[in-house]
Amino acid sequence: MQVILRLIVISASIMFITGCVSFSPLKNINDQAIERKLSEEQVKEAIHSGIEAAGWTIEKEEPGKILASYSVRVHTVAVNIRYTKSDYSINYAYSNNMKIHCSDKEKEKGVMITKWPEESCGGADPKLIHAAYQKWVDNLISEIDATFGLTDT
């Protein structure tokens, strides 16, 4: 009897924990306008400052492009940031341990993927991702936008 009771409690706990993971649609930010007149170098410096202020790390950089990542415990997300002197975009690059869904069908079946998307979604962006992703990206956007107000023209 105690074994059955323990199994019921364990099963209920697992269902509760997995049910608590909230997902949100993966949103990319495209062509976010920069209201001030800045040089491309000033935009780059402001984005660098915003990345640092938000606690993200620059992984790779090329002219007009930055790959930035953010890690918390066992979770990692990364975004591609493209910029010009008049706008910037932030797009999903990859994630690890963020319980992504590549399609609505997978979500209906309860399939959660924690591998890199190029291994799991055929290189496509996931359709849904752990809700923390959007919070972290929104914080990054807020920090970047705040630095544009502090940059001298």
Side-chain angles (χ1 to χ4, degrees):
M1 183 69 174
Q2 282 190 349
V3 172
I4 293 172
L5 184 59
R6 283 183 187 174
L7 287 174
I8 291 171
V9 170
I10 290 170
S11 296
S13 297
I14 290 170
M15 289 171 47
F16 176 76
I17 290 168
T18 57
C20 289
V21 175
S22 61
F23 297 92
S24 62
L26 186 131
K27 296 181 219 164
N28 289 315
I29 309 305
N30 292 305
D31 306 319
Q32 180 87 8
I34 298 168
E35 300 299 324
R36 297 185 65 196
K37 296 276 187 206
L38 303 172
S39 69
E40 195 165 310
E41 184 63 27
Q42 288 173 313
V43 169
K44 179 179 119 178
E45 289 171 13
I47 290 173
H48 275 230
S49 295
I51 290 169
E52 184 179 323
W56 288 60
T57 303
I58 295 172
E59 298 293 328
K60 185 177 176 184
E61 188 168 6
E62 298 174 19
K65 295 189 285 189
I66 298 170
L67 174 65
S69 66
Y70 185 75
S71 295
V72 176
R73 294 175 302 278
V74 299
H75 309 286
T76 302
V77 297
V79 295
N80 287 309
I81 304 170
R82 296 185 185 277
Y83 61 89
T84 67
K85 62 183 181 179
S86 60
D87 62 45
Y88 71 95
S89 299
I90 297 179
N91 293 282
Y92 176 88
Y94 66 84
S95 65
N96 199 16
N97 290 321
M98 290 301 290
K99 300 193 183 324
I100 62 175
H101 293 287
C102 298
S103 69
D104 287 329
K105 247 184 198 175
E106 285 180 349
K107 185 172 188 302
E108 289 168 15
K109 290 180 183 176
V111 176
M112 287 191 276
I113 299 168
T114 58
K115 297 178 184 174
W116 304 96
E118 51 273 11
E119 296 172 9
S120 58
C121 293
D125 287 352
K127 183 153 181 85
L128 298 168
I129 192 164
H130 193 291
Y133 170 82
Q134 201 58 51
K135 291 177 188 172
W136 297 336
V137 171
D138 288 346
N139 184 50
L140 175 62
I141 293 166
S142 294
E143 293 294 346
I144 289 172
D145 286 346
T147 62
F148 288 131
L150 302 174
T151 306
D152 295 328
T153 54

